[in-house]
């Protein structure tokens, strides 16, 4: 829903980006988030291991500063593109990685010394998110992580340090008035202090350690 995207994605991400940045959307899927951010940065590259997603994203791309690439071998790509990105975006990607530590250690080489890694991941403290990832075989990778402490341990091992963290209200999925109402209630000023940890997403920003 546009409400979630604007409030919990656009307004958050743009605080960490500059107009002259080169941004990598790693695991870009069909390009939804790349398209939204193309006007906020100078150059944007979307990478995915799914040729179908990249073909779909490319067919809808109307932005001259945005490119999509199918990358079956990340190591080869990074070897040609070391330390070139000001920021890397990963939306719901980490828990899908078979070898997350290996991938993150490779990605850090593409990031400039003062660059930022911006991450969204599902929050297992949210009962609906926990149920979804328990019963959907494609999402069970989250069960390895899902909590702030476990993610921070992972990223520290991969030479990243935490700059910012919050429980975030973005919902990626079908439109639902009920879900929208629940998120609005969770983020009311008085409620968020007590129950904000039940928001559906973890939003984290890292820099190179």
């Amino acid at each position: 829903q546009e409400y979630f995207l604007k409030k919990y994605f656009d307004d958050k991400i743009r605080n960490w980006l500059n107009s002259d940045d080169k941004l990598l959307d790693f695991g870009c899927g069909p390009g939804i988030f790349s398209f939204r951010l193309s006007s906020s940065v100078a150059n944007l590259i979307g990478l995915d291991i799914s040729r179908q997603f990249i073909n779909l994203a490319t067919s809808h791309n109307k932005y001259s500063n945005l490119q999509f690439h199918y990358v079956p071998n990340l190591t080869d790509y990074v070897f040609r593109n070391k330390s070139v990105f000001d920021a890397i975006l990963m939306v719901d990607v980490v828990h899908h990685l078979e070898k997350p530590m290996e991938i993150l250690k490779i990605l850090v080489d593409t990031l400039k010394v003062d660059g930022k890694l911006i991450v969204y991941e599902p929050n297992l403290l949210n009962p609906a998110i926990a149920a979804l990832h328990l019963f959907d075989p494609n999402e069970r990778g989250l069960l390895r992580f899902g909590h702030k402490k476990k993610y921070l341990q992972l990223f520290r091992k991969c030479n990243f340090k935490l700059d910012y963290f919050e429980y975030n209200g973005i919902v990626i999925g079908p439109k639902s008035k009920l879900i929208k109402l629940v998120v609005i209630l969770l983020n009311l000023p008085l409620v968020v202090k007590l129950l904000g940890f039940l928001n559906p997403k973890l939003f984290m920003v890292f820099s190179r350690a």
Side-chain angles (χ1 to χ4, degrees), residues 63-143:
Y63 304 93
S64 60
N65 67 331
L66 172 58
Q67 298 177 7
F68 293 101
H69 298 290
Y70 166 62
V71 180
N73 190 322
L74 181 62
T75 303
D76 289 346
Y77 180 86
V78 171
F79 182 76
R80 300 191 303 270
N81 295 276
K82 285 192 173 183
S83 302
V84 296
F85 293 105
D86 299 284
I88 299 174
L89 173 67
M90 301 176 76
V91 180
D92 282 5
V93 173
V94 176
H95 69 280
H96 283 295
L97 300 174
E98 293 181 4
K99 299 178 179 179
M101 190 177 299
E102 179 180 312
I103 296 299
L104 289 170
K105 286 183 176 179
I106 293 173
L107 279 178
V108 75
D109 285 337
T110 72
L111 199 61
K112 292 181 180 179
V113 173
D114 57 348
K116 301 294 181 184
L117 175 65
I118 304 167
V119 178
Y120 281 89
E121 280 290 300
N123 177 20
L124 269 184
L125 295 178
N126 179 292
I129 294 293
L132 170 66
H133 289 77
L134 177 63
F135 293 108
D136 185 345
N138 295 316
E139 298 290 346
R140 286 180 187 158
L142 179 67
L143 303 179

Side-chain angles (χ1 to χ4, degrees), residues 7-24:
K7 185 174 180 63
Y8 297 110
F9 182 78
D10 296 353
D11 293 348
K12 298 292 182 180
I13 294 288
R14 287 171 181 155
N15 289 330
W16 298 96
L17 297 176
N18 298 307
S19 59
D20 59 348
D21 279 353
K22 185 172 185 178
L23 171 66
L24 171 64

Side-chain angles (χ1 to χ4, degrees), residues 1-10 12 33 92 119-123 126 129 164-174 176 178-188 192 195-204:
Q1 296 185 56
E2 185 65 23
Y3 170 82
F4 291 121
L5 288 169
K6 186 177 187 307
K7 185 174 180 63
Y8 297 110
F9 182 78
D10 296 353
K12 298 292 182 180
F33 299 104
D92 282 5
V119 178
Y120 281 89
E121 280 290 300
N123 177 20
N126 179 292
I129 294 293
Y164 181 80
F165 173 88
E166 72 171 25
Y167 292 102
N168 184 276
I170 192 172
V171 176
I172 301 172
S176 168
L178 177 59
I179 292 176
K180 181 178 179 180
L181 178 61
V182 169
V183 171
I184 290 174
L185 291 175
L186 278 176
N187 290 279
L188 292 173
V192 72
L195 299 175
F197 66 90
L198 293 175
N199 267 297
K201 282 287 186 290
L202 308 177
F203 175 62
M204 300 166 280

